[in-house]
Amino acid sequence: MKANIGIIGVGATVSIAHNHALGLQKDDRASIAAVYDLDRERAAAFAQRFAPGAAVCSSPEELFGLVDAVDICTPNFTHADYVVRAAQAGKAIFVEKPLAITLPECERACRAAEQAGVFHMVGFVYRFAPHAQALRQLIRSRFTRIYSISGSYGARRLADPTLPFEWRMDRTLSGGGALDDFGSHLLDLLFFACGVKIKKISCLSTISIPERSPGTGGKQAVENDDSSAFTGVGGGGELVSLLTSRVGMDNIALRVSGDGGLAVLSYDEDHLIYYPKDPLGSYSGERQSLPLPDHSSFQDWFDREMHTFVDGVLGLGPEVCSIADALDIQRALTAAARSAETGAVCTL
Ligand SMILES: NC(=O)c1ccc[n+]([C@@H]2O[C@H](COP(=O)([O-])OP(=O)(O)OC[C@H]3O[C@@H](n4cnc5c(N)ncnc54)[C@H](O)[C@@H]3O)[C@@H](O)[C@H]2O)c1
């Protein structure tokens, strides 16, 4: 059986839909059967490039009628509504992170997906990197308690002050800035690799480039954070300290300490360093450089993510970040944003 996939939002800035399409093309169990974008010409060009046989739809409803599953790659403020509509149409759902921009919307999306009983997953692609897999394996095999986690993640594209205003700088279209964009990935990894969910949080945010040249819609003043630093406490008492930035930061870096020792992970350096410790004793003094399972590229991670999505559409029950898991992430990010605004430490 083929999984017929419909992509909504083909891409204008980063275009994550391109990465998805490349992944789906490599899976012979899947076919991109339909595409829909507010910009029809853009959708047609995308179909021409990635799936010449795909229908270029005039509405999401037309797309729902042609596919088994929907892949939502639109700006953040549209996610919840598309999840609800896809769920009501009985379609399996992949939705890009962050789940949505407000908690009530996330809750609405979660209820709709669960009530419909459809397969659903949220796009946290860094789970599919060998780095995350190796860290998870190490934590599961050597640790029974985590004491602290520090980490950082961000990007450099928007460090160019001549880049015009984008939807991701508009609070009503994007929600948070670096906090939601990169913080969501970090929080997913904390849960995926270390089993940690934040319960109490305090956050500070800054905007480093407050004015941009006008983009679509004519806005110029950046409305959400370029960088955020937050400190939290997990459900098991773990202390967590994370820094996110979209104006100059390297790929994911994490330091995890616990009763099994200290693990130092870098996506940029492709390394996982382990300082072993006996859970009932002290550090051994060793420093081990653990091999990653493979040396795959960024696109390979999307290929795996899409393969997992197709597994889900075909009813194979893969382990994924569900919409309910993403709702927990969004609860933590919302509390962080509240903390940045009020200066209070927020409890979830
Ligand atoms: N997993 C990752 O690493 C990663 C990386 C980048 C982006 N993303 C996420 O992917 C999503 C898309 O980001 P992007 O950078 O690819 O966006 P983009 O700006 O490149 O493309 C968005 C597309 O959506 C279309 N669109 C806008 N509103 C629409 C609507 N209501 N209905 C249909 N189409 C609509 C636009 O015309 C455009 O083609 C965002 O949620 C973002 O957070 C994830």
Side-chain angles (χ1 to χ4, degrees):
M1 182 192 152
K2 275 255 182 205
N4 288 309
I5 314 284
I7 298 181
I8 301 187
V10 299
T13 56
V14 174
S15 188
I16 211 65
H18 282 69
N19 298 94
H20 290 200
L22 288 170
L24 290 169
Q25 276 182 331
K26 289 176 199 142
D27 192 330
D28 56 17
R29 303 168 304 161
S31 155
I32 302 172
V35 295
Y36 170 70
D37 195 289
L38 277 188
D39 184 327
R40 195 184 163 87
E41 274 179 33
R42 199 178 279 153
F46 182 90
Q48 182 66 29
R49 176 166 170 204
F50 292 107
V56 180
C57 298
S58 317
S59 70
E61 282 65 33
E62 184 189 347
L63 178 138
F64 297 152
L66 297 171
V67 301
D68 306 304
V70 179
D71 179 8
I72 302 164
C73 298
T74 45
N76 307 348
F77 78 102
T78 66
H79 291 180
D81 207 43
Y82 277 134
V83 167
V84 171
R85 288 158 79 180
Q88 286 169 349
K91 304 301 161 187
I93 299 165
F94 181 104
V95 56
E96 262 302 342
K97 47 54 65 175
L99 174 56
I101 63 176
T102 68
L103 263 190
E105 283 189 343
C106 290
E107 284 159 357
R108 191 164 69 92
C110 192
R111 268 194 311 275
E114 288 184 349
Q115 275 167 11
V118 294
F119 171 77
H120 50 88
M121 71 182 276
V122 182
F124 288 110
V125 71
Y126 290 91
R127 277 179 177 227
F128 296 92
H131 315 71
Q133 309 284 338
L135 179 64
R136 183 190 220 209
Q137 169 63 26
L138 174 66
I139 301 293
R140 289 188 164 193
S141 61
R142 301 299 294 261
F143 291 61
T144 66
R145 279 193 60 204
I146 306 286
Y147 300 149
S148 70
I149 302 176
S150 65
S152 57
Y153 173 43
R156 297 184 284 274
R157 185 177 68 90
L158 296 174
D160 176 356
T162 68
L163 276 186
F165 189 93
E166 289 180 11
W167 62 264
R168 25 172 77 69
M169 301 159 192
D170 184 329
R171 187 165 279 285
T172 58
L173 304 183
S174 175
L179 177 64
D180 283 18
D181 207 357
F182 302 109
S184 59
H185 280 297
L186 283 172
L187 292 181
D188 179 59
L189 278 185
L190 258 50
F191 179 58
F192 175 74
C194 308
V196 171
K197 284 193 180 186
I198 302 281
K199 297 294 172 199
K200 193 159 91 176
I201 201 159
S202 147
C203 178
L204 291 171
S205 295
T206 57
I207 300 176
S208 307
I209 306 175
E211 283 283 318
R212 300 266 177 178
S213 60
T216 324
K219 283 198 178 181
Q220 285 190 266
V222 174
E223 296 171 359
N224 53 19
D225 57 301
D226 279 331
S227 305
S228 280
F230 56 103
T231 304
V233 179
E238 309 88 356
L239 184 66
V240 175
S241 168
L242 301 173
L243 177 62
T244 62
S245 175
R246 62 186 180 191
V247 289
M249 181 64 71
D250 55 340
N251 206 332
I252 292 171
L254 283 175
R255 287 186 168 71
V256 182
S257 99
D259 61 352
L262 170 66
V264 180
L265 179 71
S266 165
Y267 275 59
D268 255 357
E269 301 292 329
D270 284 326
H271 74 214
L272 176 59
I273 309 291
Y274 177 46
Y275 299 86
K277 177 185 163 315
D278 178 342
L280 299 176
S282 58
Y283 276 87
S284 69
E286 272 178 276
R287 177 188 187 278
Q288 300 176 4
S289 179
L290 301 183
L292 300 180
D294 61 52
H295 290 283
S296 52
S297 68
F298 192 45
Q299 182 57 45
D300 292 326
W301 311 344
F302 282 101
D303 295 353
R304 285 177 196 158
E305 186 181 50
M306 287 298 112
H307 188 87
T308 303
F309 176 37
V310 176
D311 282 350
V313 179
L314 296 178
L316 301 177
E319 182 195 0
V320 296
C321 176
S322 69
I323 288 183
D325 294 330
L327 173 59
D328 284 342
I329 290 172
Q330 216 54 37
R331 285 197 175 106
L333 293 171
T334 304
R338 196 164 65 242
S339 166
E341 231 173 271
T342 61
V345 175
C346 295
T347 304
L348 277 79

